[in-house]
Amino acid sequence: MNDILIHGGDMIDGARPCPVVRGMSGRLVGKRALVTGAASGIGREIARQFHGEGATLVLLDIDGDGVAATAAGLGAEGLRCDVRDPAAIEASVSSAIATLGGLDTVVNAAGILFRQPFESLDIDQWQLLFEINLRGPALVCKAALAALRRGAGPSIVNIASLSAIRPSPGTSAYAASKGGLLMLTKCLAEEIAPIRVNAICPGIIDTPMTEGFMADRETRERIEQANALHLTGRPSDIAAAAVYLASDEARFMTGAQMVIDGGSSYA
């Protein structure tokens, strides 16, 4: 197996508590949000910014200790939940709804990537990617649907990937799973309106899960030169977009894909 990257939280980088975000404007005050993959990386930063904007939160992750640490730093509740397990999802979402007194926003940030050539990719790896990246978000949405219908300005934000629209070698299963998540986003936007459903498609983001190869100077420079801005993306770039999509500012936006990649999709 080649590189293994996990976005949003099936691993943890030391479980550092998240500080309260200062100087934000309360764009999510009154919003009750459920965030998966919140132990680390993009998911944790989304939780941090949501908290800073006034949302009340329940956080999920397969890493129980990590999500507990994230939640403790935000005064939120953190639950261990494996998104491969339908029963665990049902129980965790039900608990979150009870804790929050309802639900207005769901963010599906848990995800996993195996970089593996198609020829040597085995069926278990393929299955794992689809269980976490596509079936998991679908089951979370389904479990949350009734509560979201009763919510205020309800929305779902799915963290897809640039790979959903621009494949690269070694990511066939990952790209297919994220492409499925992107199409699920669009289908749900049509089917479950007025709940808004949008997706964010990040490029390569500098998280603890990418530091294994981003620590190499030549690799980092090559990645930065591959986008128009010659920068590396940060979790905060993705979290800021998630805040917007969950807020009432995006009331007329659904079925959309926000590509945040520094311009690498056209550079």
Side-chain angles (χ1 to χ4, degrees), residues 8 39 112 118 127 143 145 154-155 192 219 225-226 252:
I112 186 171
F118 179 75
Q127 182 75 12
L145 186 56
S155 68
I192 66 173
T219 300
Q225 289 303 310
F252 197 53

Side-chain angles (χ1 to χ4, degrees), residues 1-11 42 109-117 121 124-134 159-164 166-179 202-205 207 209-210 213 223:
M1 193 183 308
N2 292 345
D3 300 328
I4 300 177
L5 310 177
I6 299 178
H7 293 290
D10 285 317
M11 295 178 67
I42 291 171
I112 186 171
L113 161 63
F114 292 107
R115 295 182 63 89
Q116 182 77 2
L121 185 72
D124 290 337
Q125 293 171 323
W126 182 279
Q127 182 75 12
L128 181 62
L129 283 161
F130 274 79
E131 285 181 350
I132 295 175
N133 292 351
L134 181 54
I159 306 301
S161 171
L162 180 62
S163 293
R166 185 186 182 188
S168 60
T171 64
S172 56
Y174 176 74
S177 67
K178 289 295 190 177
I204 294 177
I205 304 299
T207 72
M209 299 312 113
T210 62
F213 66 89
I223 289 170

Side-chain angles (χ1 to χ4, degrees), residues 44-113:
R44 184 174 66 180
E45 180 63 18
I46 289 172
R48 192 178 77 93
Q49 289 201 24
F50 271 42
H51 171 71
E53 292 287 359
T56 54
L57 300 166
V58 171
L59 311 177
L60 306 184
D61 201 285
I62 194 172
D63 179 356
D65 291 340
V67 76
T70 300
L74 301 177
E77 180 175 352
L79 302 174
R80 184 188 184 281
C81 179
D82 184 345
V83 297
R84 295 172 296 179
D85 183 346
I89 289 173
E90 286 284 351
S92 296
V93 173
S94 293
S95 176
I97 293 167
T99 296
L100 297 170
L103 196 59
D104 306 302
T105 300
V106 168
V107 180
N108 285 300
I112 186 171
L113 161 63

